[in-house]
Amino acid sequence: MKSETVHFFLKKGILLNPDLSENLDSENMEELNNLFEDFSKYSTNSLILNNSIYKSLYLEKEEDLIIPNIDNSDYPVVITKEYAEVTKKKEVSDFTQHYKKRFNLISKILQSKRGLENSISIHKILNKRQRESVSLIGYVSSKNITKNKNMILTLEDLTGSIKVIITKDKIPLFEDANNLCLDEIIGINGSTGNKVVFADDLYFPDVPKNDVLKKCDEEIYLAVISDVHVGSTMFLENDFLKFIKWINGTVGNSEQKNVALKVKYLFVVGDLVDGVGIYPNQDDELNIKDIFKQYDKFGELISMIRKDVKIIICPGNHDAVRIAEPQPILDKDYIKTILKLPNVISVTNPSFVNIHASEGFEGFDVLLYHGYSFDYYINNVGIIRNNGGYDRPDLVMKYLLQKRHLAPSHGSTLFIPDPDDDFLTITKVPDFFLAGHVHKPAINQYGKVTNICGSCWQSKTPFQEKVGHKPEPSKVQLVNLKTREIKVMNFGE
Ligand code: D5M
Ligand code: FE
Ligand code: ZN
């Protein structure tokens, strides 16, 4: 076992000190790859990896960790990964560093796949003279169709760029390539030609396909809503009040009441209020024109909900924080009344929380992302556009999980580059991926991940009428965390 670990590093030109190889798990390819990555990054010229270097890498890593908040209640919510705002002035180099960081995070996932473990740098491939089988990892920097209807991709890594040819006769492969988006990071197996690679297989970082769904012992429910849009003249207050009455167990038949009282976690995935000045002439569509009053009203509504429901709220593009992602938590000044509620947890967009952990149960990991990037993929990716488009946000969610990124294409969302991290990379595979934004409820199961896109509490806006969107308001998805069955409740007319 130990010698395998030593060999792993030797193949990469690094001598592993025996004192260290003892402590490494040679079975865990991801861990070994991580260590290799970190070592290459921190130590540019050393060829020996020993215990003291390992420790210094390890200590550096610990500083990056966010110390989780502690929730000792029976229904705990712990923020496991949350964006901490960096106030430093942005420089051009931040973008480069940011993309490098993303490349490292995602190529690590790819490298641990069977078939890509021997991937080599593009620089090395460009130097090959003979026809040879190779694998490589790179981001897609261009995508074109030739006169003969084959596809040419340009893949780039940190060492160079190379053309990859995908011939039209390789049907499933060509289809996958056709739906690639620019800047996403993929793996390729193929054979070398003259400064090109002829592709045989294409790999996405993706999520594992064979995971069993995590379940807890107690019959409790997680509920999802999004896009409340308080303050809009089209806010469906009566429907929302019906929902509140239901969750409090005061309306519905006995089975519905019974289920309602078992809801312990409520997620509100952005666009809590309609905001002010979000688009020109929005004023005409507001009945609360003051942003503070919009949040007061939102607070008043959610304060009516039973206090034993944990309510997790994140901002969306209509909320009063910067629109560039990651969006920080809502400003204290705006949500003063909301923060006084003991059961409300305000998180960033995106964010990663763990719910319902207890001794002996690791809890459920939940990824929240409002979904501002979804419009881009609905408009630009054939497999989504031609299969329902705006009516199928679940397809976007699946697509983004495959890329392990919430906005892989540069320009698909507004973002602030953090040189030390890429917060939109899906580093850990969640149990639930929750979103909103397109005002259309949708659910799908992809690997172990349950994707849920919330509905909305706003009727069709003139803009949506004009572009032909069909919002479906006043729905709530309810997940039974014991069985993982999902129900959709309708509080509309
Ligand atoms: O977004 C609600 C829905 O409307 C969502 O699908 C995006 C779409 N929308 C809203 N404004 C625009 C513009 N200006 N261009 C394209 N699509 C848009 P919400 O975030 O609630 O406004
Ligand atoms: Fe919205
Ligand atoms: Zn939105």
Side-chain angles (χ1 to χ4, degrees), residues 227 229 271 317-318 375 390 437-439 463-464 469:
D227 298 272
H229 288 269
D271 285 359
N317 51 306
H318 280 256
D375 298 273
Y390 269 101
H437 185 58
V438 292
H439 295 204
F463 173 83
Q464 290 162 346
H469 292 179

PDB file of all heavy atoms in Angstrom, residues 227 229 271 317-318 375 390 437-439 463-464 469, ligand 1:
ATOM      1  N   ASP A 227     -38.568  33.515  -4.597  1.00  0.00           N
ATOM      2  CA  ASP A 227     -39.180  34.602  -5.362  1.00  0.00           C
ATOM      3  C   ASP A 227     -40.512  35.090  -4.788  1.00  0.00           C
ATOM      4  O   ASP A 227     -41.554  35.007  -5.429  1.00  0.00           O
ATOM      5  CB  ASP A 227     -39.342  34.159  -6.830  1.00  0.00           C
ATOM      6  CG  ASP A 227     -37.984  33.880  -7.453  1.00  0.00           C
ATOM      7  OD1 ASP A 227     -37.372  34.805  -7.983  1.00  0.00           O
ATOM      8  OD2 ASP A 227     -37.489  32.726  -7.327  1.00  0.00           O
ATOM      9  N   HIS A 229     -41.064  38.260  -3.796  1.00  0.00           N
ATOM     10  CA  HIS A 229     -41.312  39.556  -4.444  1.00  0.00           C
ATOM     11  C   HIS A 229     -42.283  40.457  -3.678  1.00  0.00           C
ATOM     12  O   HIS A 229     -43.179  41.082  -4.274  1.00  0.00           O
ATOM     13  CB  HIS A 229     -41.775  39.361  -5.896  1.00  0.00           C
ATOM     14  CG  HIS A 229     -40.672  38.897  -6.801  1.00  0.00           C
ATOM     15  ND1 HIS A 229     -39.865  39.765  -7.492  1.00  0.00           N
ATOM     16  CD2 HIS A 229     -40.197  37.657  -7.090  1.00  0.00           C
ATOM     17  CE1 HIS A 229     -38.966  39.065  -8.181  1.00  0.00           C
ATOM     18  NE2 HIS A 229     -39.141  37.786  -7.954  1.00  0.00           N
ATOM     19  N   ASP A 271     -34.820  36.577  -3.989  1.00  0.00           N
ATOM     20  CA  ASP A 271     -35.894  37.476  -4.402  1.00  0.00           C
ATOM     21  C   ASP A 271     -36.974  37.525  -3.310  1.00  0.00           C
ATOM     22  O   ASP A 271     -38.153  37.247  -3.558  1.00  0.00           O
ATOM     23  CB  ASP A 271     -36.492  37.094  -5.773  1.00  0.00           C
ATOM     24  CG  ASP A 271     -35.575  37.473  -6.934  1.00  0.00           C
ATOM     25  OD1 ASP A 271     -34.491  38.049  -6.698  1.00  0.00           O
ATOM     26  OD2 ASP A 271     -35.956  37.209  -8.096  1.00  0.00           O
ATOM     27  N   ASN A 317     -31.403  38.369  -7.158  1.00  0.00           N
ATOM     28  CA  ASN A 317     -31.049  39.590  -7.906  1.00  0.00           C
ATOM     29  C   ASN A 317     -31.975  40.772  -7.631  1.00  0.00           C
ATOM     30  O   ASN A 317     -31.661  41.894  -8.019  1.00  0.00           O
ATOM     31  CB  ASN A 317     -30.982  39.295  -9.412  1.00  0.00           C
ATOM     32  CG  ASN A 317     -32.209  38.602  -9.930  1.00  0.00           C
ATOM     33  OD1 ASN A 317     -32.623  37.560  -9.430  1.00  0.00           O
ATOM     34  ND2 ASN A 317     -32.847  39.193 -10.921  1.00  0.00           N
ATOM     35  N   HIS A 318     -33.131  40.540  -6.971  1.00  0.00           N
ATOM     36  CA  HIS A 318     -33.993  41.679  -6.619  1.00  0.00           C
ATOM     37  C   HIS A 318     -33.700  42.212  -5.218  1.00  0.00           C
ATOM     38  O   HIS A 318     -34.297  43.201  -4.810  1.00  0.00           O
ATOM     39  CB  HIS A 318     -35.473  41.267  -6.695  1.00  0.00           C
ATOM     40  CG  HIS A 318     -36.008  41.269  -8.092  1.00  0.00           C
ATOM     41  ND1 HIS A 318     -36.832  42.256  -8.568  1.00  0.00           N
ATOM     42  CD2 HIS A 318     -35.798  40.422  -9.126  1.00  0.00           C
ATOM     43  CE1 HIS A 318     -37.133  42.008  -9.826  1.00  0.00           C
ATOM     44  NE2 HIS A 318     -36.517  40.894 -10.200  1.00  0.00           N
ATOM     45  N   ASP A 375     -30.703  31.943 -16.820  1.00  0.00           N
ATOM     46  CA  ASP A 375     -31.193  32.520 -18.086  1.00  0.00           C
ATOM     47  C   ASP A 375     -30.220  32.222 -19.230  1.00  0.00           C
ATOM     48  O   ASP A 375     -30.626  31.865 -20.330  1.00  0.00           O
ATOM     49  CB  ASP A 375     -31.357  34.041 -17.959  1.00  0.00           C
ATOM     50  CG  ASP A 375     -32.388  34.423 -16.914  1.00  0.00           C
ATOM     51  OD1 ASP A 375     -33.573  34.486 -17.255  1.00  0.00           O
ATOM     52  OD2 ASP A 375     -31.997  34.629 -15.748  1.00  0.00           O
ATOM     53  N   TYR A 390     -37.420  27.630 -20.437  1.00  0.00           N
ATOM     54  CA  TYR A 390     -37.804  28.277 -19.176  1.00  0.00           C
ATOM     55  C   TYR A 390     -38.723  27.418 -18.303  1.00  0.00           C
ATOM     56  O   TYR A 390     -38.860  27.658 -17.112  1.00  0.00           O
ATOM     57  CB  TYR A 390     -38.445  29.644 -19.444  1.00  0.00           C
ATOM     58  CG  TYR A 390     -37.401  30.742 -19.433  1.00  0.00           C
ATOM     59  CD1 TYR A 390     -36.901  31.267 -20.608  1.00  0.00           C
ATOM     60  CD2 TYR A 390     -36.887  31.218 -18.226  1.00  0.00           C
ATOM     61  CE1 TYR A 390     -35.911  32.247 -20.593  1.00  0.00           C
ATOM     62  CE2 TYR A 390     -35.908  32.189 -18.190  1.00  0.00           C
ATOM     63  CZ  TYR A 390     -35.424  32.702 -19.374  1.00  0.00           C
ATOM     64  OH  TYR A 390     -34.454  33.653 -19.336  1.00  0.00           O
ATOM     65  N   HIS A 437     -35.602  31.801  -9.109  1.00  0.00           N
ATOM     66  CA  HIS A 437     -35.350  32.780 -10.180  1.00  0.00           C
ATOM     67  C   HIS A 437     -36.245  32.688 -11.403  1.00  0.00           C
ATOM     68  O   HIS A 437     -36.708  33.702 -11.903  1.00  0.00           O
ATOM     69  CB  HIS A 437     -33.875  32.741 -10.611  1.00  0.00           C
ATOM     70  CG  HIS A 437     -33.536  33.804 -11.608  1.00  0.00           C
ATOM     71  ND1 HIS A 437     -33.712  35.151 -11.352  1.00  0.00           N
ATOM     72  CD2 HIS A 437     -33.029  33.722 -12.868  1.00  0.00           C
ATOM     73  CE1 HIS A 437     -33.335  35.836 -12.413  1.00  0.00           C
ATOM     74  NE2 HIS A 437     -32.924  35.014 -13.335  1.00  0.00           N
ATOM     75  N   VAL A 438     -36.493  31.488 -11.958  1.00  0.00           N
ATOM     76  CA  VAL A 438     -37.274  31.463 -13.195  1.00  0.00           C
ATOM     77  C   VAL A 438     -38.781  31.372 -12.949  1.00  0.00           C
ATOM     78  O   VAL A 438     -39.564  31.339 -13.896  1.00  0.00           O
ATOM     79  CB  VAL A 438     -36.800  30.349 -14.157  1.00  0.00           C
ATOM     80  CG1 VAL A 438     -35.426  30.647 -14.692  1.00  0.00           C
ATOM     81  CG2 VAL A 438     -36.817  29.001 -13.488  1.00  0.00           C
ATOM     82  N   HIS A 439     -39.183  31.364 -11.677  1.00  0.00           N
ATOM     83  CA  HIS A 439     -40.596  31.415 -11.306  1.00  0.00           C
ATOM     84  C   HIS A 439     -41.385  30.197 -11.809  1.00  0.00           C
ATOM     85  O   HIS A 439     -42.567  30.301 -12.131  1.00  0.00           O
ATOM     86  CB  HIS A 439     -41.243  32.720 -11.798  1.00  0.00           C
ATOM     87  CG  HIS A 439     -40.674  33.938 -11.120  1.00  0.00           C
ATOM     88  ND1 HIS A 439     -41.359  35.125 -11.011  1.00  0.00           N
ATOM     89  CD2 HIS A 439     -39.480  34.156 -10.508  1.00  0.00           C
ATOM     90  CE1 HIS A 439     -40.605  36.016 -10.368  1.00  0.00           C
ATOM     91  NE2 HIS A 439     -39.457  35.452 -10.056  1.00  0.00           N
ATOM     92  N   PHE A 463     -43.280  42.090 -18.290  1.00  0.00           N
ATOM     93  CA  PHE A 463     -42.065  41.637 -18.963  1.00  0.00           C
ATOM     94  C   PHE A 463     -42.173  40.153 -19.336  1.00  0.00           C
ATOM     95  O   PHE A 463     -41.870  39.747 -20.461  1.00  0.00           O
ATOM     96  CB  PHE A 463     -40.836  41.855 -18.076  1.00  0.00           C
ATOM     97  CG  PHE A 463     -39.589  41.260 -18.653  1.00  0.00           C
ATOM     98  CD1 PHE A 463     -38.847  41.954 -19.601  1.00  0.00           C
ATOM     99  CD2 PHE A 463     -39.176  39.982 -18.288  1.00  0.00           C
ATOM    100  CE1 PHE A 463     -37.720  41.387 -20.165  1.00  0.00           C
ATOM    101  CE2 PHE A 463     -38.047  39.404 -18.841  1.00  0.00           C
ATOM    102  CZ  PHE A 463     -37.310  40.116 -19.788  1.00  0.00           C
ATOM    103  N   GLN A 464     -42.633  39.353 -18.381  1.00  0.00           N
ATOM    104  CA  GLN A 464     -42.746  37.907 -18.639  1.00  0.00           C
ATOM    105  C   GLN A 464     -43.782  37.632 -19.722  1.00  0.00           C
ATOM    106  O   GLN A 464     -43.624  36.723 -20.541  1.00  0.00           O
ATOM    107  CB  GLN A 464     -43.093  37.174 -17.342  1.00  0.00           C
ATOM    108  CG  GLN A 464     -41.929  37.177 -16.366  1.00  0.00           C
ATOM    109  CD  GLN A 464     -42.351  36.861 -14.943  1.00  0.00           C
ATOM    110  OE1 GLN A 464     -43.530  36.876 -14.612  1.00  0.00           O
ATOM    111  NE2 GLN A 464     -41.368  36.604 -14.092  1.00  0.00           N
ATOM    112  N   HIS A 469     -42.841  34.010 -21.016  1.00  0.00           N
ATOM    113  CA  HIS A 469     -42.625  33.087 -19.886  1.00  0.00           C
ATOM    114  C   HIS A 469     -43.973  32.715 -19.271  1.00  0.00           C
ATOM    115  O   HIS A 469     -44.897  33.520 -19.269  1.00  0.00           O
ATOM    116  CB  HIS A 469     -41.777  33.741 -18.784  1.00  0.00           C
ATOM    117  CG  HIS A 469     -40.374  33.996 -19.202  1.00  0.00           C
ATOM    118  ND1 HIS A 469     -39.451  34.597 -18.389  1.00  0.00           N
ATOM    119  CD2 HIS A 469     -39.730  33.726 -20.359  1.00  0.00           C
ATOM    120  CE1 HIS A 469     -38.314  34.700 -19.032  1.00  0.00           C
ATOM    121  NE2 HIS A 469     -38.450  34.178 -20.227  1.00  0.00           N
TER     122      HIS A 469
HETATM  123  O1  D5M B   1     -36.755  36.870 -12.794  1.00  0.00           O
HETATM  124  C1  D5M B   1     -37.964  36.292 -13.157  1.00  0.00           C
HETATM  125  C2  D5M B   1     -37.872  35.648 -14.508  1.00  0.00           C
HETATM  126  O2  D5M B   1     -37.908  36.626 -15.534  1.00  0.00           O
HETATM  127  C3  D5M B   1     -36.564  34.904 -14.730  1.00  0.00           C
HETATM  128  O3  D5M B   1     -36.848  33.783 -15.521  1.00  0.00           O
HETATM  129  C4  D5M B   1     -35.721  35.817 -15.510  1.00  0.00           C
HETATM  130  C5  D5M B   1     -36.734  36.603 -16.289  1.00  0.00           C
HETATM  131  N1  D5M B   1     -36.263  37.970 -16.461  1.00  0.00           N
HETATM  132  C6  D5M B   1     -36.537  39.014 -15.680  1.00  0.00           C
HETATM  133  N2  D5M B   1     -35.967  40.132 -16.142  1.00  0.00           N
HETATM  134  C7  D5M B   1     -35.296  39.768 -17.251  1.00  0.00           C
HETATM  135  C8  D5M B   1     -34.496  40.472 -18.206  1.00  0.00           C
HETATM  136  N3  D5M B   1     -34.286  41.784 -18.127  1.00  0.00           N
HETATM  137  N4  D5M B   1     -33.962  39.749 -19.219  1.00  0.00           N
HETATM  138  C9  D5M B   1     -34.199  38.425 -19.340  1.00  0.00           C
HETATM  139  N5  D5M B   1     -34.937  37.735 -18.481  1.00  0.00           N
HETATM  140  C10 D5M B   1     -35.487  38.382 -17.455  1.00  0.00           C
HETATM  141  P1  D5M B   1     -36.625  37.944 -11.628  1.00  0.00           P
HETATM  142  O4  D5M B   1     -35.240  37.790 -11.133  1.00  0.00           O
HETATM  143  O5  D5M B   1     -37.638  37.642 -10.600  1.00  0.00           O
HETATM  144  O6  D5M B   1     -36.856  39.275 -12.269  1.00  0.00           O
END
